[in-house]
Amino acid sequence: MPYTTYLVEKGASHSFVAEAKPPTVTMPRIKALMTGSLPGFVDVLRNLNSPALLEDSVIRQAKAAGKRIIFYGDETWVKLFPKHFVEYDGTTSFFVSDYTEVDNNVTRHLDKVLKRGDWDMLILHYLGLDHIGHVSGPSSPLIGRKLSEMDSVLMKIHTSLLSKEREVALPSLLVLCGDHGMSETGSHGASSMEEVNTPLILISSAFERKPGDVRHPTRVQQTDVAATLAIALGLPIPKDSVGSLLFPVVEGKPMREQLRFLHLNTVQLSKLLQENVPSYEKGSHPAAAQCPSGTAQKG
């Protein structure tokens, strides 16, 4: 993926290795990405016939804020969020031997939708790479070709977003991620390193990067995505999110804004604690922290 590699190594981006908690199957992982919460193993049973998601999520908050969301790809999203998209085209993941049409069905929309100005969020969920893994494993020669195809898709989207930015003042945000990894046999669902490690790349012209600025991918939690997306979009963080703001994303902002973003995340997590841990009372256990100067301050 040469274009993606360039963006990771030299472009205006931040890259992470996001850990997906088991079960590493699609529906619970979409829930984790959009709600910031930790789905349980009961969701494995619902994976093939997902009911509508009732929990608070980035998608729900975006729709409530009037954001126009378009979706193309794995129909699990349409089942989880049945009334949230202004336009959608879902593809089934049932026919794992198909790794071509499932992706063409997504890409065929791109040329038109990228030229339009009637949407705020575009979500694409490609299935081909996953299907190749299930049928042929991660060492299949088909993997390289599919990654090259995905690299071209990312380049098409990124260059289109950059050209649009010349017309509007606000920078766009492009997020590239996986819902789960793939074991050495091409399967997923368990907790091996290969199954829980997923790529997470955030790309935006807002992330200034000077020549020679080497950024090594840091390990984060997949549940951190929801809080980060919510803050980036100016939305409330989903109330059941256990995730933390990915701080490198806001490091270039003025200190006052950084503190405000951290405060929003802290208040949301504090409320979650208060609602779920009966013994938790904010400020009930003051602690003294030692300062470098030798003086003490209350925590």
Side-chain angles (χ1 to χ4, degrees):
M1 301 181 78
Y3 190 80
T4 307
T5 301
Y6 168 78
L7 290 176
V8 167
E9 293 180 350
K10 298 179 181 178
S13 68
H14 291 287
S15 51
F16 308 89
V17 177
E19 181 184 347
K21 299 294 186 188
T24 49
V25 291
T26 296
M27 191 271 275
R29 304 280 41 90
I30 294 173
K31 284 177 69 173
L33 284 163
M34 292 296 104
T35 67
S37 61
L38 292 168
F41 276 87
V42 69
D43 288 313
V44 176
L45 305 176
R46 299 172 179 160
N47 190 51
L48 290 174
N49 190 24
S50 311
L53 183 63
L54 301 177
E55 294 169 56
D56 194 12
S57 68
V58 175
I59 301 290
R60 174 184 282 192
Q61 292 289 354
K63 186 174 188 293
K67 304 282 186 191
R68 298 158 298 178
I69 314 169
I70 292 178
F71 172 78
Y72 306 125
D74 189 332
E75 65 184 2
T76 305
W77 288 79
V78 182
K79 293 176 180 178
L80 287 171
F81 308 104
K83 297 177 182 178
H84 296 72
F85 306 126
V86 294
E87 182 181 310
Y88 64 87
D89 186 8
T91 56
T92 179
S93 60
F94 190 72
F95 302 103
V96 291
S97 59
D98 172 24
Y99 57 85
T100 306
E101 290 304 312
V102 283
D103 288 349
N104 289 346
N105 199 47
V106 178
T107 304
R108 68 188 177 93
H109 295 284
L110 281 184
D111 285 334
K112 285 186 179 179
V113 79
L114 290 173
K115 290 175 184 173
R116 289 159 45 186
D118 60 348
W119 54 270
D120 303 295
M121 293 174 65
L122 174 64
I123 302 171
L124 311 172
H125 188 143
Y126 283 89
L127 285 161
L129 197 62
D130 178 73
H131 286 190
I132 292 171
H134 281 296
V135 174
S136 309
S139 300
S140 166
L142 296 171
I143 292 281
R145 274 179 261 164
K146 181 57 70 174
L147 288 173
S148 178
E149 178 190 334
M150 293 298 99
D151 195 47
S152 298
V153 167
L154 185 123
M155 182 168 69
K156 180 191 286 276
I157 297 168
H158 187 231
T159 51
S160 172
L161 292 175
L162 288 177
S163 66
K164 276 191 175 182
E165 283 182 19
R166 298 188 189 105
E167 303 163 20
V168 294
L170 284 175
S172 55
L173 173 65
L174 175 56
V175 180
L176 176 66
C177 63
D179 50 345
H180 53 72
M182 185 186 295
S183 73
E184 291 179 359
T185 59
S187 63
H188 56 89
S191 57
S192 72
M193 186 76 77
E194 293 81 9
E195 289 165 277
V196 301
N197 281 351
T198 69
L200 173 62
I201 307 169
L202 279 69
I203 306 157
S204 174
S205 56
F207 306 148
E208 294 178 6
R209 189 168 184 176
K210 295 173 183 174
D213 179 3
V214 179
R215 297 175 180 175
H216 297 289
T218 52
R219 292 191 66 84
V220 297
Q221 295 299 310
Q222 196 178 56
T223 45
D224 296 336
V225 173
T228 304
L229 283 181
I231 285 172
L233 293 165
L235 302 171
I237 298 171
K239 65 184 186 68
D240 295 319
S241 169
V242 298
S244 302
L245 168 66
L246 296 172
F247 191 68
V249 173
V250 299
E251 273 183 321
K253 297 286 184 183
M255 182 62 71
R256 181 182 287 273
E257 281 193 57
Q258 291 183 36
L259 291 172
R260 184 170 67 86
F261 295 147
L262 291 171
H263 181 255
L264 289 170
N265 198 182
T266 305
V267 168
Q268 176 264 320
L269 288 170
S270 180
K271 283 181 182 175
L272 185 65
L273 268 173
Q274 286 174 310
E275 290 170 7
N276 291 279
V277 182
S279 60
Y280 174 81
E281 286 183 37
K282 186 180 177 184
S284 61
H285 303 290
Q290 196 68 26
C291 295
S293 61
T295 58
Q297 67 178 28
K298 283 192 174 180

mmCIF file with all atom_site columns, all heavy atoms in Angstrom, residues 35 57 67 70-71 76 78 83 92 111 141 168 227 251 260 263 269 283 297-298:
data_model
loop_
_atom_site.group_PDB
_atom_site.id
_atom_site.type_symbol
_atom_site.label_atom_id
_atom_site.label_alt_id
_atom_site.label_comp_id
_atom_site.label_asym_id
_atom_site.label_entity_id
_atom_site.label_seq_id
_atom_site.pdbx_PDB_ins_code
_atom_site.Cartn_x
_atom_site.Cartn_y
_atom_site.Cartn_z
_atom_site.occupancy
_atom_site.B_iso_or_equiv
_atom_site.pdbx_formal_charge
_atom_site.auth_seq_id
_atom_site.auth_comp_id
_atom_site.auth_asym_id
_atom_site.auth_atom_id
_atom_site.pdbx_PDB_model_num
ATOM 1   N N   . THR A 1 35  ? -19.591 3.065   19.765  1.00 0.00 ? 35  THR A N   1
ATOM 2   C CA  . THR A 1 35  ? -20.111 3.396   21.102  1.00 0.00 ? 35  THR A CA  1
ATOM 3   C C   . THR A 1 35  ? -18.992 3.634   22.110  1.00 0.00 ? 35  THR A C   1
ATOM 4   O O   . THR A 1 35  ? -19.204 4.296   23.124  1.00 0.00 ? 35  THR A O   1
ATOM 5   C CB  . THR A 1 35  ? -21.011 2.269   21.661  1.00 0.00 ? 35  THR A CB  1
ATOM 6   O OG1 . THR A 1 35  ? -20.215 1.100   21.920  1.00 0.00 ? 35  THR A OG1 1
ATOM 7   C CG2 . THR A 1 35  ? -22.132 1.920   20.690  1.00 0.00 ? 35  THR A CG2 1
ATOM 8   N N   . SER A 1 57  ? -24.273 6.289   20.569  1.00 0.00 ? 57  SER A N   1
ATOM 9   C CA  . SER A 1 57  ? -23.164 6.056   19.652  1.00 0.00 ? 57  SER A CA  1
ATOM 10  C C   . SER A 1 57  ? -22.811 7.338   18.913  1.00 0.00 ? 57  SER A C   1
ATOM 11  O O   . SER A 1 57  ? -23.576 8.305   18.923  1.00 0.00 ? 57  SER A O   1
ATOM 12  C CB  . SER A 1 57  ? -23.535 4.972   18.628  1.00 0.00 ? 57  SER A CB  1
ATOM 13  O OG  . SER A 1 57  ? -24.557 5.452   17.763  1.00 0.00 ? 57  SER A OG  1
ATOM 14  N N   . LYS A 1 67  ? -26.192 15.826  11.139  1.00 0.00 ? 67  LYS A N   1
ATOM 15  C CA  . LYS A 1 67  ? -25.173 15.386  10.179  1.00 0.00 ? 67  LYS A CA  1
ATOM 16  C C   . LYS A 1 67  ? -25.806 14.408  9.178   1.00 0.00 ? 67  LYS A C   1
ATOM 17  O O   . LYS A 1 67  ? -26.558 13.507  9.564   1.00 0.00 ? 67  LYS A O   1
ATOM 18  C CB  . LYS A 1 67  ? -24.010 14.678  10.884  1.00 0.00 ? 67  LYS A CB  1
ATOM 19  C CG  . LYS A 1 67  ? -23.336 15.486  11.974  1.00 0.00 ? 67  LYS A CG  1
ATOM 20  C CD  . LYS A 1 67  ? -22.401 16.525  11.429  1.00 0.00 ? 67  LYS A CD  1
ATOM 21  C CE  . LYS A 1 67  ? -21.619 17.215  12.544  1.00 0.00 ? 67  LYS A CE  1
ATOM 22  N NZ  . LYS A 1 67  ? -20.895 18.399  12.068  1.00 0.00 ? 67  LYS A NZ  1
ATOM 23  N N   . ILE A 1 70  ? -23.830 8.939   4.905   1.00 0.00 ? 70  ILE A N   1
ATOM 24  C CA  . ILE A 1 70  ? -24.011 7.981   3.811   1.00 0.00 ? 70  ILE A CA  1
ATOM 25  C C   . ILE A 1 70  ? -23.176 6.744   4.116   1.00 0.00 ? 70  ILE A C   1
ATOM 26  O O   . ILE A 1 70  ? -22.058 6.845   4.621   1.00 0.00 ? 70  ILE A O   1
ATOM 27  C CB  . ILE A 1 70  ? -23.580 8.601   2.459   1.00 0.00 ? 70  ILE A CB  1
ATOM 28  C CG1 . ILE A 1 70  ? -24.557 9.725   2.071   1.00 0.00 ? 70  ILE A CG1 1
ATOM 29  C CG2 . ILE A 1 70  ? -23.533 7.549   1.361   1.00 0.00 ? 70  ILE A CG2 1
ATOM 30  C CD1 . ILE A 1 70  ? -24.190 10.444  0.782   1.00 0.00 ? 70  ILE A CD1 1
ATOM 31  N N   . PHE A 1 71  ? -23.743 5.579   3.819   1.00 0.00 ? 71  PHE A N   1
ATOM 32  C CA  . PHE A 1 71  ? -23.027 4.327   4.093   1.00 0.00 ? 71  PHE A CA  1
ATOM 33  C C   . PHE A 1 71  ? -23.097 3.384   2.898   1.00 0.00 ? 71  PHE A C   1
ATOM 34  O O   . PHE A 1 71  ? -24.158 3.196   2.298   1.00 0.00 ? 71  PHE A O   1
ATOM 35  C CB  . PHE A 1 71  ? -23.615 3.603   5.309   1.00 0.00 ? 71  PHE A CB  1
ATOM 36  C CG  . PHE A 1 71  ? -23.020 2.236   5.487   1.00 0.00 ? 71  PHE A CG  1
ATOM 37  C CD1 . PHE A 1 71  ? -21.764 2.091   6.053   1.00 0.00 ? 71  PHE A CD1 1
ATOM 38  C CD2 . PHE A 1 71  ? -23.676 1.100   5.020   1.00 0.00 ? 71  PHE A CD2 1
ATOM 39  C CE1 . PHE A 1 71  ? -21.177 0.831   6.155   1.00 0.00 ? 71  PHE A CE1 1
ATOM 40  C CE2 . PHE A 1 71  ? -23.091 -0.157  5.117   1.00 0.00 ? 71  PHE A CE2 1
ATOM 41  C CZ  . PHE A 1 71  ? -21.845 -0.282  5.696   1.00 0.00 ? 71  PHE A CZ  1
ATOM 42  N N   . THR A 1 76  ? -24.231 -5.144  8.014   1.00 0.00 ? 76  THR A N   1
ATOM 43  C CA  . THR A 1 76  ? -24.328 -5.138  9.477   1.00 0.00 ? 76  THR A CA  1
ATOM 44  C C   . THR A 1 76  ? -24.580 -3.719  9.984   1.00 0.00 ? 76  THR A C   1
ATOM 45  O O   . THR A 1 76  ? -25.330 -3.512  10.932  1.00 0.00 ? 76  THR A O   1
ATOM 46  C CB  . THR A 1 76  ? -23.029 -5.693  10.116  1.00 0.00 ? 76  THR A CB  1
ATOM 47  O OG1 . THR A 1 76  ? -22.757 -6.984  9.575   1.00 0.00 ? 76  THR A OG1 1
ATOM 48  C CG2 . THR A 1 76  ? -23.160 -5.801  11.630  1.00 0.00 ? 76  THR A CG2 1
ATOM 49  N N   . VAL A 1 78  ? -26.216 -1.341  8.494   1.00 0.00 ? 78  VAL A N   1
ATOM 50  C CA  . VAL A 1 78  ? -27.603 -0.956  8.212   1.00 0.00 ? 78  VAL A CA  1
ATOM 51  C C   . VAL A 1 78  ? -28.546 -1.587  9.238   1.00 0.00 ? 78  VAL A C   1
ATOM 52  O O   . VAL A 1 78  ? -29.532 -0.985  9.641   1.00 0.00 ? 78  VAL A O   1
ATOM 53  C CB  . VAL A 1 78  ? -27.999 -1.379  6.775   1.00 0.00 ? 78  VAL A CB  1
ATOM 54  C CG1 . VAL A 1 78  ? -29.420 -0.946  6.457   1.00 0.00 ? 78  VAL A CG1 1
ATOM 55  C CG2 . VAL A 1 78  ? -27.024 -0.786  5.761   1.00 0.00 ? 78  VAL A CG2 1
ATOM 56  N N   . LYS A 1 83  ? -32.116 3.618   10.794  1.00 0.00 ? 83  LYS A N   1
ATOM 57  C CA  . LYS A 1 83  ? -32.766 4.879   10.409  1.00 0.00 ? 83  LYS A CA  1
ATOM 58  C C   . LYS A 1 83  ? -31.810 6.065   10.470  1.00 0.00 ? 83  LYS A C   1
ATOM 59  O O   . LYS A 1 83  ? -32.234 7.210   10.599  1.00 0.00 ? 83  LYS A O   1
ATOM 60  C CB  . LYS A 1 83  ? -33.967 5.145   11.318  1.00 0.00 ? 83  LYS A CB  1
ATOM 61  C CG  . LYS A 1 83  ? -35.054 4.083   11.196  1.00 0.00 ? 83  LYS A CG  1
ATOM 62  C CD  . LYS A 1 83  ? -36.195 4.344   12.162  1.00 0.00 ? 83  LYS A CD  1
ATOM 63  C CE  . LYS A 1 83  ? -37.246 3.253   12.053  1.00 0.00 ? 83  LYS A CE  1
ATOM 64  N NZ  . LYS A 1 83  ? -38.355 3.466   13.032  1.00 0.00 ? 83  LYS A NZ  1
ATOM 65  N N   . THR A 1 92  ? -24.059 -8.164  1.553   1.00 0.00 ? 92  THR A N   1
ATOM 66  C CA  . THR A 1 92  ? -24.038 -9.278  2.497   1.00 0.00 ? 92  THR A CA  1
ATOM 67  C C   . THR A 1 92  ? -22.641 -9.873  2.619   1.00 0.00 ? 92  THR A C   1
ATOM 68  O O   . THR A 1 92  ? -21.889 -9.914  1.642   1.00 0.00 ? 92  THR A O   1
ATOM 69  C CB  . THR A 1 92  ? -25.035 -10.378 2.088   1.00 0.00 ? 92  THR A CB  1
ATOM 70  O OG1 . THR A 1 92  ? -24.956 -11.462 3.028   1.00 0.00 ? 92  THR A OG1 1
ATOM 71  C CG2 . THR A 1 92  ? -24.738 -10.918 0.690   1.00 0.00 ? 92  THR A CG2 1
ATOM 72  N N   . ASP A 1 111 ? -17.073 7.682   -7.277  1.00 0.00 ? 111 ASP A N   1
ATOM 73  C CA  . ASP A 1 111 ? -16.892 8.812   -8.184  1.00 0.00 ? 111 ASP A CA  1
ATOM 74  C C   . ASP A 1 111 ? -18.001 9.849   -8.041  1.00 0.00 ? 111 ASP A C   1
ATOM 75  O O   . ASP A 1 111 ? -17.745 11.054  -7.991  1.00 0.00 ? 111 ASP A O   1
ATOM 76  C CB  . ASP A 1 111 ? -16.803 8.334   -9.637  1.00 0.00 ? 111 ASP A CB  1
ATOM 77  C CG  . ASP A 1 111 ? -15.458 7.685   -9.955  1.00 0.00 ? 111 ASP A CG  1
ATOM 78  O OD1 . ASP A 1 111 ? -14.470 8.027   -9.268  1.00 0.00 ? 111 ASP A OD1 1
ATOM 79  O OD2 . ASP A 1 111 ? -15.392 6.831   -10.852 1.00 0.00 ? 111 ASP A OD2 1
ATOM 80  N N   . PRO A 1 141 ? -1.762  -15.123 -2.402  1.00 0.00 ? 141 PRO A N   1
ATOM 81  C CA  . PRO A 1 141 ? -1.316  -14.090 -3.364  1.00 0.00 ? 141 PRO A CA  1
ATOM 82  C C   . PRO A 1 141 ? -2.412  -13.075 -3.665  1.00 0.00 ? 141 PRO A C   1
ATOM 83  O O   . PRO A 1 141 ? -2.136  -11.973 -4.147  1.00 0.00 ? 141 PRO A O   1
ATOM 84  C CB  . PRO A 1 141 ? -0.947  -14.903 -4.612  1.00 0.00 ? 141 PRO A CB  1
ATOM 85  C CG  . PRO A 1 141 ? -1.593  -16.237 -4.445  1.00 0.00 ? 141 PRO A CG  1
ATOM 86  C CD  . PRO A 1 141 ? -1.683  -16.478 -2.972  1.00 0.00 ? 141 PRO A CD  1
ATOM 87  N N   . VAL A 1 168 ? -13.568 25.068  0.880   1.00 0.00 ? 168 VAL A N   1
ATOM 88  C CA  . VAL A 1 168 ? -14.124 25.326  2.213   1.00 0.00 ? 168 VAL A CA  1
ATOM 89  C C   . VAL A 1 168 ? -12.997 25.509  3.218   1.00 0.00 ? 168 VAL A C   1
ATOM 90  O O   . VAL A 1 168 ? -11.886 25.046  3.015   1.00 0.00 ? 168 VAL A O   1
ATOM 91  C CB  . VAL A 1 168 ? -15.050 24.179  2.677   1.00 0.00 ? 168 VAL A CB  1
ATOM 92  C CG1 . VAL A 1 168 ? -16.293 24.106  1.810   1.00 0.00 ? 168 VAL A CG1 1
ATOM 93  C CG2 . VAL A 1 168 ? -14.322 22.841  2.661   1.00 0.00 ? 168 VAL A CG2 1
ATOM 94  N N   . ALA A 1 227 ? -14.676 8.235   21.296  1.00 0.00 ? 227 ALA A N   1
ATOM 95  C CA  . ALA A 1 227 ? -14.448 9.511   21.977  1.00 0.00 ? 227 ALA A CA  1
ATOM 96  C C   . ALA A 1 227 ? -13.702 10.483  21.078  1.00 0.00 ? 227 ALA A C   1
ATOM 97  O O   . ALA A 1 227 ? -14.025 11.677  21.022  1.00 0.00 ? 227 ALA A O   1
ATOM 98  C CB  . ALA A 1 227 ? -13.663 9.277   23.272  1.00 0.00 ? 227 ALA A CB  1
ATOM 99  N N   . GLU A 1 251 ? -2.840  17.547  19.751  1.00 0.00 ? 251 GLU A N   1
ATOM 100 C CA  . GLU A 1 251 ? -1.614  18.170  20.259  1.00 0.00 ? 251 GLU A CA  1
ATOM 101 C C   . GLU A 1 251 ? -1.273  19.495  19.575  1.00 0.00 ? 251 GLU A C   1
ATOM 102 O O   . GLU A 1 251 ? -0.640  20.361  20.161  1.00 0.00 ? 251 GLU A O   1
ATOM 103 C CB  . GLU A 1 251 ? -0.432  17.201  20.128  1.00 0.00 ? 251 GLU A CB  1
ATOM 104 C CG  . GLU A 1 251 ? -0.307  16.274  21.325  1.00 0.00 ? 251 GLU A CG  1
ATOM 105 C CD  . GLU A 1 251 ? 0.905   15.376  21.238  1.00 0.00 ? 251 GLU A CD  1
ATOM 106 O OE1 . GLU A 1 251 ? 1.224   14.898  20.131  1.00 0.00 ? 251 GLU A OE1 1
ATOM 107 O OE2 . GLU A 1 251 ? 1.540   15.143  22.281  1.00 0.00 ? 251 GLU A OE2 1
ATOM 108 N N   . ARG A 1 260 ? -9.789  21.700  27.234  1.00 0.00 ? 260 ARG A N   1
ATOM 109 C CA  . ARG A 1 260 ? -11.255 21.579  27.130  1.00 0.00 ? 260 ARG A CA  1
ATOM 110 C C   . ARG A 1 260 ? -11.647 20.192  26.631  1.00 0.00 ? 260 ARG A C   1
ATOM 111 O O   . ARG A 1 260 ? -12.569 19.567  27.152  1.00 0.00 ? 260 ARG A O   1
ATOM 112 C CB  . ARG A 1 260 ? -11.803 22.652  26.193  1.00 0.00 ? 260 ARG A CB  1
ATOM 113 C CG  . ARG A 1 260 ? -13.333 22.664  26.088  1.00 0.00 ? 260 ARG A CG  1
ATOM 114 C CD  . ARG A 1 260 ? -13.829 23.887  25.344  1.00 0.00 ? 260 ARG A CD  1
ATOM 115 N NE  . ARG A 1 260 ? -13.431 23.870  23.941  1.00 0.00 ? 260 ARG A NE  1
ATOM 116 C CZ  . ARG A 1 260 ? -14.118 23.261  22.976  1.00 0.00 ? 260 ARG A CZ  1
ATOM 117 N NH1 . ARG A 1 260 ? -15.231 22.595  23.272  1.00 0.00 ? 260 ARG A NH1 1
ATOM 118 N NH2 . ARG A 1 260 ? -13.704 23.310  21.726  1.00 0.00 ? 260 ARG A NH2 1
ATOM 119 N N   . HIS A 1 263 ? -11.127 17.736  29.361  1.00 0.00 ? 263 HIS A N   1
ATOM 120 C CA  . HIS A 1 263 ? -12.166 17.930  30.384  1.00 0.00 ? 263 HIS A CA  1
ATOM 121 C C   . HIS A 1 263 ? -13.468 17.255  29.963  1.00 0.00 ? 263 HIS A C   1
ATOM 122 O O   . HIS A 1 263 ? -14.134 16.594  30.772  1.00 0.00 ? 263 HIS A O   1
ATOM 123 C CB  . HIS A 1 263 ? -12.390 19.429  30.623  1.00 0.00 ? 263 HIS A CB  1
ATOM 124 C CG  . HIS A 1 263 ? -13.422 19.715  31.664  1.00 0.00 ? 263 HIS A CG  1
ATOM 125 N ND1 . HIS A 1 263 ? -14.690 20.160  31.357  1.00 0.00 ? 263 HIS A ND1 1
ATOM 126 C CD2 . HIS A 1 263 ? -13.391 19.593  33.023  1.00 0.00 ? 263 HIS A CD2 1
ATOM 127 C CE1 . HIS A 1 263 ? -15.385 20.305  32.467  1.00 0.00 ? 263 HIS A CE1 1
ATOM 128 N NE2 . HIS A 1 263 ? -14.616 19.977  33.481  1.00 0.00 ? 263 HIS A NE2 1
ATOM 129 N N   . LEU A 1 269 ? -16.393 10.239  31.454  1.00 0.00 ? 269 LEU A N   1
ATOM 130 C CA  . LEU A 1 269 ? -15.954 9.019   32.141  1.00 0.00 ? 269 LEU A CA  1
ATOM 131 C C   . LEU A 1 269 ? -16.345 9.042   33.615  1.00 0.00 ? 269 LEU A C   1
ATOM 132 O O   . LEU A 1 269 ? -16.687 8.009   34.196  1.00 0.00 ? 269 LEU A O   1
ATOM 133 C CB  . LEU A 1 269 ? -14.434 8.852   31.990  1.00 0.00 ? 269 LEU A CB  1
ATOM 134 C CG  . LEU A 1 269 ? -13.936 8.462   30.602  1.00 0.00 ? 269 LEU A CG  1
ATOM 135 C CD1 . LEU A 1 269 ? -12.415 8.561   30.526  1.00 0.00 ? 269 LEU A CD1 1
ATOM 136 C CD2 . LEU A 1 269 ? -14.386 7.054   30.226  1.00 0.00 ? 269 LEU A CD2 1
ATOM 137 N N   . GLY A 1 283 ? -14.337 13.071  44.429  1.00 0.00 ? 283 GLY A N   1
ATOM 138 C CA  . GLY A 1 283 ? -13.727 13.927  45.444  1.00 0.00 ? 283 GLY A CA  1
ATOM 139 C C   . GLY A 1 283 ? -13.856 13.407  46.856  1.00 0.00 ? 283 GLY A C   1
ATOM 140 O O   . GLY A 1 283 ? -13.528 14.090  47.813  1.00 0.00 ? 283 GLY A O   1
ATOM 141 N N   . GLN A 1 297 ? 0.252   18.978  46.668  1.00 0.00 ? 297 GLN A N   1
ATOM 142 C CA  . GLN A 1 297 ? -1.004  19.547  46.179  1.00 0.00 ? 297 GLN A CA  1
ATOM 143 C C   . GLN A 1 297 ? -2.078  18.464  46.247  1.00 0.00 ? 297 GLN A C   1
ATOM 144 O O   . GLN A 1 297 ? -1.805  17.292  46.176  1.00 0.00 ? 297 GLN A O   1
ATOM 145 C CB  . GLN A 1 297 ? -0.868  20.047  44.747  1.00 0.00 ? 297 GLN A CB  1
ATOM 146 C CG  . GLN A 1 297 ? -0.647  18.956  43.710  1.00 0.00 ? 297 GLN A CG  1
ATOM 147 C CD  . GLN A 1 297 ? -0.561  19.517  42.310  1.00 0.00 ? 297 GLN A CD  1
ATOM 148 O OE1 . GLN A 1 297 ? -0.159  20.644  42.122  1.00 0.00 ? 297 GLN A OE1 1
ATOM 149 N NE2 . GLN A 1 297 ? -0.941  18.729  41.326  1.00 0.00 ? 297 GLN A NE2 1
ATOM 150 N N   . LYS A 1 298 ? -3.311  18.916  46.438  1.00 0.00 ? 298 LYS A N   1
ATOM 151 C CA  . LYS A 1 298 ? -4.392  17.953  46.537  1.00 0.00 ? 298 LYS A CA  1
ATOM 152 C C   . LYS A 1 298 ? -4.763  17.434  45.156  1.00 0.00 ? 298 LYS A C   1
ATOM 153 O O   . LYS A 1 298 ? -4.848  18.189  44.207  1.00 0.00 ? 298 LYS A O   1
ATOM 154 C CB  . LYS A 1 298 ? -5.626  18.599  47.174  1.00 0.00 ? 298 LYS A CB  1
ATOM 155 C CG  . LYS A 1 298 ? -5.469  18.726  48.699  1.00 0.00 ? 298 LYS A CG  1
ATOM 156 C CD  . LYS A 1 298 ? -6.773  19.090  49.334  1.00 0.00 ? 298 LYS A CD  1
ATOM 157 C CE  . LYS A 1 298 ? -6.668  19.074  50.862  1.00 0.00 ? 298 LYS A CE  1
ATOM 158 N NZ  . LYS A 1 298 ? -7.928  19.424  51.489  1.00 0.00 ? 298 LYS A NZ  1
#
